[in-house]
Amino acid sequence: MSDDAYTSDQPTQPSDAMAALDRLVGSWTVTGEAQGTVRYEWMPGRFFLLQHVELSQYGQQITGLEVIGHLRPFGEPPSEEIYSRFYDSAGNTLDYAYELVGNTLTIWAGAKGSPAFYRGEFSDDGQTISGDWVYPGGGGYSSTSTRSDQ
């Protein structure tokens, strides 16, 4: 593979859609039907956002790492959508698609438009996100994340 595969048509800075996710950076305390902490941080270069998860839900511990960003296979342009993959301590991998419009964060399980999704609203001061996971056929859960690092 030539060096051109790493340089041609490659962005020199993160997309505006990725930059908008900066409001997630920091530590959050999660309450509601899932409880615990999540922490977001930028990977160097700011092309990928990392989420560290330590939650308890329905009596089970959920520990994992999520990598959020545009897909960009060797030598290809970045994907239009923002995707993620979550890796948990039980060996599961879960794929998601992210969208932030104004104060509304939507995370679809799988592809954008999936019937399983999270939709949450940032408070005007950006200190909380409250929302619901919705599952097809009913079910889901509500949670509120409160910034805990300021």
Side-chain angles (χ1 to χ4, degrees), residues 86-108:
F86 179 76
Y87 303 87
D88 75 15
S89 58
N92 298 303
T93 59
L94 304 170
D95 294 330
Y96 299 96
Y98 272 67
E99 182 178 59
L100 178 60
V101 177
N103 282 337
T104 304
L105 175 64
T106 305
I107 306 169
W108 286 276

Side-chain angles (χ1 to χ4, degrees), residues 15-43:
S15 71
D16 290 344
M18 279 303 297
L21 295 178
D22 191 60
R23 65 197 306 182
L24 290 170
V25 171
S27 297
W28 300 80
T29 300
V30 180
T31 57
E33 295 174 72
Q35 299 178 350
T37 60
V38 297
R39 180 175 51 88
Y40 292 88
E41 66 178 328
W42 287 112
M43 196 170 153

